Amino acid sequence: MMGMAAVARRGPQPPGDDKTTMLVRKIPDGSVIDHIAAGKALSVLRLLGNPQEHGFTIAMVMNVSSSKMGKKDIVKVEGMEISQEQVQKLALIAPRASVNIVRSYRVMAKKNAVPPRTLRGILSCTAPTCVSVREKDSAPSIFFISGRAPLRYRCKYCGRELDEKEISSQLG
Amino acid sequence: MMGMAAVARRGPQPPGDDKTTMLVRKIPDGSVIDHIAAGKALSVLRLLGNPQEHGFTIAMVMNVSSSKMGKKDIVKVEGMEISQEQVQKLALIAPRASVNIVRSYRVMAKKNAVPPRTLRGILSCTAPTCVSVREKDSAPSIFFISGRAPLRYRCKYCGRELDEKEISSQLG
């Protein structure tokens, strides 16, 4: 159902034909989010409020090779500067992501997604016996960061640790 | 919340800096789906079975300008040749889409999304009194095409017509 698997590149050089390539113009103003974990680009778009549904021009690639990460996604949103609050949330679903703010075709600012030390009311503990699960009203969710690469958070109450995969699936 | 609206391009020419541009290499093998209605690229991905979740390399742009359509999306899937069945379904959510099958960097086949004349069991009639709604078992959904650009289908039983927007929202 999925068709061919990826094949090795063959001998002939690519011709200059615009049906087989896609050149994305440099954006005059906007944000470039690089080093998103492969496959998470759509979660990033959702986190940004689905700008494509509001008319923003978007360019993205998914599952492209990365020396840093093996595979990655990249999202570019024209005419939108991502806020610090959005960058913080981004840190949770794309911990290795870097955000470049572009103005007049130049990179004006770089924001690295830095996961917060404490998360309140964002994550859900996966230990069924944890007090934050059994008595949600008296014990609201609190998690402390316990690892950055890879990203890990530890429940304040019971010590259960959530890994990147669990965090992404809760937020994504 | 959305940040800046799109601004007019300013004087300076874009420099050759790879943080502000994204050159997507020509794909050796795969499919290029062009002239997708703006904002429908993600529906197209879903229709193709979300190839990005299966490791396929994807490139896409959304809300780019098009002389033919005003605005459009483009989706490129490396290493995947879209089947005729998928092209037919594509015709329903992206009626103006064109599919280029690429091999060895060259366009080997063009498939235009041609909506089928008759659709059985795909669309749901929106007329609450229609027999296909009231007695689903004895009157399975049947729609005939009644327009191509824009796309319209007419219920066989009651004559209710569905427009592109309704069709897309049912399938998308």
Side-chain angles (χ1 to χ4, degrees), chain A residues 125-170:
Chain A
C125 192
T126 53
T129 52
C130 179
V131 63
S132 71
V133 175
R134 294 184 155 199
E135 295 175 42
K136 289 184 183 185
D137 296 329
S138 54
S141 137
I142 299 179
F143 277 80
F144 301 124
I145 197 165
S146 61
R148 288 192 182 275
L151 189 66
R152 292 180 79 81
Y153 276 89
R154 178 170 48 233
C155 176
K156 166 185 173 166
Y157 303 102
C158 74
R160 166 67 58 103
E161 294 213 337
L162 306 185
D163 63 11
E164 267 187 42
K165 196 173 171 193
E166 175 62 34
I167 293 164
S168 265
S169 85
Q170 284 195 20

Side-chain angles (χ1 to χ4, degrees), chain A residues 1-10 12-29 32 34-35 39 42 45 48-65 71 74-76 79-81 86 100 102-107 110, chain B residues 1-10 12-29 32 34-35 39 42 45 48-65 71 74-76 79-81 86 100 102-107 110:
Chain A
M1 182 202 156
M2 276 289 117
M4 312 170 359
V7 295
R9 204 188 284 188
R10 299 179 195 157
Q13 285 309 301
D17 172 64
D18 68 13
K19 282 283 183 245
T20 60
T21 191
M22 194 180 334
L23 173 64
V24 177
R25 285 168 312 182
K26 296 175 191 287
I27 58 172
D29 299 86
V32 179
D34 200 349
H35 300 108
L42 301 187
L45 279 184
L48 296 177
N50 283 318
Q52 72 281 0
E53 291 174 8
H54 300 266
F56 287 85
T57 298
I58 311 287
M60 45 197 273
V61 289
M62 294 192 265
N63 296 321
V64 294
S65 46
K71 271 190 169 180
I74 306 173
V75 171
K76 181 188 300 190
M80 181 172 169
E81 294 196 359
Q86 286 171 316
N100 287 303
V102 175
R103 285 186 209 139
S104 299
Y105 298 103
R106 294 176 176 281
V107 176
K110 290 175 186 282
Chain B
M1 182 201 154
M2 276 287 118
M4 307 169 9
V7 294
R9 205 188 284 189
R10 302 183 191 152
Q13 285 309 304
D17 172 64
D18 70 12
K19 281 280 183 249
T20 60
T21 192
M22 192 180 334
L23 174 64
V24 178
R25 285 169 311 181
K26 294 176 192 287
I27 57 173
D29 299 85
V32 179
D34 200 348
H35 302 107
L42 300 188
L45 278 184
L48 297 176
N50 283 319
Q52 72 281 0
E53 290 175 10
H54 299 266
F56 286 85
T57 298
I58 311 286
M60 45 196 273
V61 289
M62 295 192 265
N63 296 320
V64 293
S65 47
K71 271 190 170 181
I74 306 173
V75 171
K76 181 187 302 191
M80 181 173 169
E81 295 196 358
Q86 285 171 317
N100 288 301
V102 174
R103 285 185 209 141
S104 299
Y105 298 102
R106 295 178 176 281
V107 175
K110 289 175 186 282

